[in-house]
Amino acid sequence: MNNPLKPALDKKTRKFKEYNSYNLQSNNYYLLPFRFIRLDEQNELLVNEVGDFLIVSSGTVERIVNKKLDKISDEELYADLIAAFFISETPIPALLDVISTRYRTKKSFLDHFTALHIFVISLRCEHTCHYCQVSRVSENKKAFDMQRHHIDKGIDLMMKSPNPHITMEFQGGEALLAFENITYAVIQAKEKAMLLNKKISFVICTNLAVITDEMLKFCKEHEILISSSLDGPSFIHNKNRHRNGNNSYELAVKGIEESRQVLGFDRVSALLTTTNLSLLYPHEIVDEYYKLGFRNIFLRPISPYGFANYNERKNHYKTSEFLDFYKKALDKIIELNLRGEFFREDYAAIILRKILTPFPVGYVDLQSPAGMINSVIVFNYDGKVYATDEARMLAETKDYTFELGSLDTHSYEELFYGDKARFFSDAWTNESLPGCSECALQSYCGADPVFNYATQGTFIGHRPTSSFCERNMAIIKHLFLLMEKDARIKTIFRTWITGNN
């Protein structure tokens, strides 16, 4: 019988190259840590440990790594690589302290720990949105309002955060249906913040359908921001966000206008959720935001949590379909800017801040370590405490994986530094996640164990099949290519992160 291993046994043992082949001391420059990726057939992207980047022609990475650069004939490229900390002429770069300072700056969002504290003030709602991620209840069921003793305990824990500037955000259901609890919470929180010398901001997330003059007067008095929902023109919004009377859009627009009149134009924001219907109308949705006076829009997909998963026909689509929608909408937005009109896409602006500045971002989905606990915490209407808003959405479908404990029984230390928090920390840093650790786009992305768990059943996730990874890689690469293609677009993008329009 033939031996199937014979070819392998006959093969001669390979020898290592001579020592001098690996002796870096004999070369003219030293490689510093960086990652790279092909943007397209013509361009490669190099990114170092602090997010500095260079876009170079294809084949350049191979020349750099194989020490084929010539300081004289490649003078400009060589100088750029030295200046941007991709290579060094000494084993330890002379400006190593500068690199370390910039890295600390990138991670400075960790300096003060949790800032955003979400209070789910009620599950009651008068809408029946088909993409709702929580088990909303009818507006007359007050048993699903947050109890005062839970509000008090939540405020006490919020005040223990070492962060000097905290945000208290009220969510639902429809938060305004429990407005008396909001007024109680705001007054209590302001008094305690003043005693502890903390700065506190307030946000109410609302569909605006039930807002009144009395509510707006209170919001004005206490400088409360309004975060509303707008899914586009009426034929999209009313289809997505159903309520009796089929007038959700009309009430939202009316509420936006009234809120602006009382609170100020910049105190009212709106958030889009992209459904299957939305995918067909990228330009119309952008036009609607522009028509209503907004100068920004956040193009975001449906979150894969809770009850939003149950309506497949309306809520499920491929990541590639969302990316096609996103790019068409972004083209429309760029077109507006090229005509001299300032209009920003917020998700791109967050990524661009990470690309074009040394500063961190406050958006929890694109942080590493992840925003869960480090930046945000959720106090649910029933006193349960969750690591993120998405975590409490999972709990509404009886999955309590990310429940940290209860306001009734757990201390601040047990909730924020306990066994569960430490357990989650094993998977919340993309610098150490498989598939992320070697990715060139790592500095511009984040880690999200809750998303990984909800979509792939594991905190770590699997990058080749991750929709989070697919979406972010495509958008980041697209932004780089747009800037490389047209200097005018890069100038526009810079206005989005500086606010200079």
Side-chain angles (χ1 to χ4, degrees):
M1 180 182 290
N2 292 330
N3 184 354
L5 297 178
K6 191 173 187 303
L9 293 171
D10 289 344
K11 191 172 182 179
K12 292 182 179 180
T13 303
R14 290 177 179 162
K15 293 183 178 180
F16 287 103
K17 295 178 180 179
E18 295 298 326
Y19 173 76
N20 288 340
S21 298
Y22 304 95
N23 185 6
L24 300 181
Q25 302 267 344
S26 64
N27 294 290
N28 294 326
Y29 60 86
Y30 298 83
L31 298 178
L32 298 177
F34 72 89
R35 301 171 184 86
F36 55 90
I37 192 172
R38 187 184 295 277
L39 287 178
D40 57 18
E41 290 301 314
Q42 292 77 41
N43 297 287
E44 296 170 342
L45 174 69
L46 286 66
V47 184
N48 68 13
E49 289 291 279
V50 293
D52 293 335
F53 70 92
L54 285 176
I55 297 176
V56 296
S57 59
S58 292
T60 302
V61 170
E62 182 180 5
R63 294 181 61 220
I64 295 169
V65 172
N66 289 328
K67 308 294 184 66
K68 293 181 179 179
L69 288 187
D70 183 85
K71 188 174 182 179
I72 297 175
S73 60
D74 297 303
E75 181 180 5
E76 185 176 350
L77 173 61
Y78 190 93
D80 287 342
L81 291 167
I82 290 285
F85 303 113
F86 288 97
I87 63 174
S88 172
E89 293 183 328
T90 58
I92 299 177
L95 298 177
L96 184 60
D97 287 346
V98 174
I99 302 175
S100 61
T101 299
R102 296 185 66 179
Y103 191 82
R104 285 197 301 272
T105 302
K106 284 281 187 183
K107 300 297 184 181
S108 61
F109 66 91
L110 294 169
D111 287 352
H112 300 299
F113 206 43
T114 319
L116 176 59
H117 298 75
I118 296 174
F119 286 69
V120 182
I121 208 73
S122 176
L123 276 193
R124 290 187 286 150
C125 191
E126 31 64 66
H127 274 63
T128 54
C129 307
H130 63 73
Y131 54 63
C132 185
Q133 287 106 8
V134 296
S135 55
R136 58 195 177 273
V137 296
S138 58
E139 54 190 298
N140 60 345
K141 294 185 177 180
K142 289 196 174 184
F144 292 88
D145 289 359
M146 197 174 197
Q147 300 301 303
R148 293 284 172 94
H149 67 278
H150 284 148
I151 295 174
D152 291 338
K153 184 63 183 294
I155 292 173
D156 287 342
L157 293 181
M158 177 173 66
M159 294 301 163
K160 288 187 176 182
S161 171
N163 201 313
H165 187 173
I166 51 179
T167 298
M168 189 178 195
E169 182 175 295
F170 300 102
Q171 289 194 16
E174 170 47 54
L176 291 181
L177 290 176
F179 188 70
E180 66 280 1
N181 277 348
I182 293 178
T183 60
Y184 172 83
V186 168
I187 292 170
Q188 293 295 315
K190 286 186 74 172
E191 289 178 354
K192 293 189 176 181
M194 185 178 299
L195 289 173
L196 295 169
N197 198 30
K198 286 183 181 287
K199 185 176 181 181
I200 186 167
S201 301
F202 299 99
V203 181
I204 298 176
C205 298
T206 169
N207 59 44
L208 290 172
V210 298
I211 199 163
T212 64
D213 291 341
E214 179 188 0
M215 293 174 182
L216 286 173
K217 182 180 178 181
F218 182 85
C219 291
K220 175 72 172 180
E221 180 183 352
H222 296 279
E223 300 180 303
I224 299 173
L225 296 168
I226 295 292
S227 177
S228 61
S229 296
L230 182 68
D231 285 356
S234 59
F235 72 92
I236 299 176
H237 188 95
N238 284 336
K239 205 77 166 172
N240 286 349
R241 304 182 59 81
H242 182 262
R243 76 185 304 273
N244 289 336
N246 197 34
N247 61 348
S248 177
Y249 170 84
E250 289 74 18
L251 290 174
V253 171
K254 179 174 178 286
I256 289 169
E257 292 173 350
E258 291 176 350
S259 298
R260 284 171 170 171
Q261 290 173 7
V262 176
L263 306 178
F265 205 89
D266 61 344
R267 308 291 291 176
V268 184
S269 63
L271 195 59
L272 163 75
T273 299
T274 305
T275 62
N276 273 326
L277 177 61
S278 311
L279 295 175
L280 303 175
Y281 302 100
H283 292 178
E284 290 82 356
I285 290 171
V286 172
D287 285 339
E288 182 68 23
Y289 269 72
Y290 184 81
K291 181 188 77 175
L292 292 176
F294 289 102
R295 289 301 175 262
N296 65 300
I297 187 172
F298 197 128
L299 301 171
R300 64 169 191 156
I302 279 183
S303 299
Y305 307 103
F307 291 89
N309 281 326
Y310 295 162
N311 196 328
E312 186 165 339
R313 181 176 61 85
K314 294 180 179 180
N315 298 337
H316 284 218
Y317 45 78
K318 296 178 181 178
T319 302
S320 58
E321 294 176 296
F322 173 77
L323 289 170
D324 183 61
F325 163 84
Y326 182 91
K327 290 175 182 178
K328 288 177 179 176
L330 188 62
D331 284 345
K332 176 71 174 179
I333 293 167
I334 291 172
E335 178 187 319
L336 285 171
N337 283 268
L338 289 172
R339 296 201 324 241
E341 303 285 349
F342 180 85
F343 195 96
R344 181 183 68 230
E345 199 288 299
D346 285 339
Y347 195 68
I350 293 165
I351 294 171
L352 289 164
R353 180 177 171 87
K354 300 189 81 170
I355 292 173
L356 299 174
T357 82
F359 304 112
V361 300
Y363 183 62
V364 298
D365 291 2
L366 289 177
Q367 289 179 339
S368 176
M372 58 186 298
I373 305 175
N374 295 302
S375 296
V376 62
I377 201 79
V378 178
F379 304 127
N380 205 21
Y381 76 97
D382 57 1
K384 301 297 184 183
V385 182
Y386 295 99
T388 67
D389 197 27
E390 292 77 16
R392 70 111 175 177
M393 294 171 188
L394 282 176
E396 294 298 335
T397 55
K398 311 304 180 186
D399 188 333
Y400 304 103
T401 301
F402 294 92
E403 180 185 314
L404 298 175
S406 170
L407 290 172
D408 293 318
T409 57
H410 290 81
S411 68
Y412 180 88
E413 289 73 20
E414 290 170 328
L415 292 168
F416 287 80
Y417 305 114
D419 291 340
K420 269 207 164 181
R422 291 198 298 270
F423 180 69
F424 298 145
S425 70
D426 287 343
W428 70 20
T429 306
N430 69 3
E431 286 90 342
S432 62
L433 291 177
C436 291
S437 60
E438 65 270 23
C439 179
L441 308 182
Q442 176 205 106
S443 297
Y444 314 128
C445 199
D448 194 340
V450 182
F451 186 96
N452 293 338
Y453 173 82
T455 57
Q456 298 182 305
T458 167
F459 298 155
I460 292 175
H462 180 242
R463 243 52 64 200
T465 56
S466 167
S467 58
F468 179 88
C469 183
E470 180 185 358
R471 180 177 72 251
N472 284 332
M473 285 189 73
I475 291 175
I476 295 169
K477 290 172 71 173
H478 186 61
L479 294 175
F480 271 113
L481 287 171
L482 286 172
M483 289 189 287
E484 183 69 7
K485 179 181 70 174
D486 192 333
R488 296 176 303 164
I489 294 177
K490 188 172 184 178
T491 300
I492 288 167
F493 285 170
R494 287 194 178 277
T495 69
W496 291 5
I497 57 178
T498 62
N500 296 325
N501 53 328

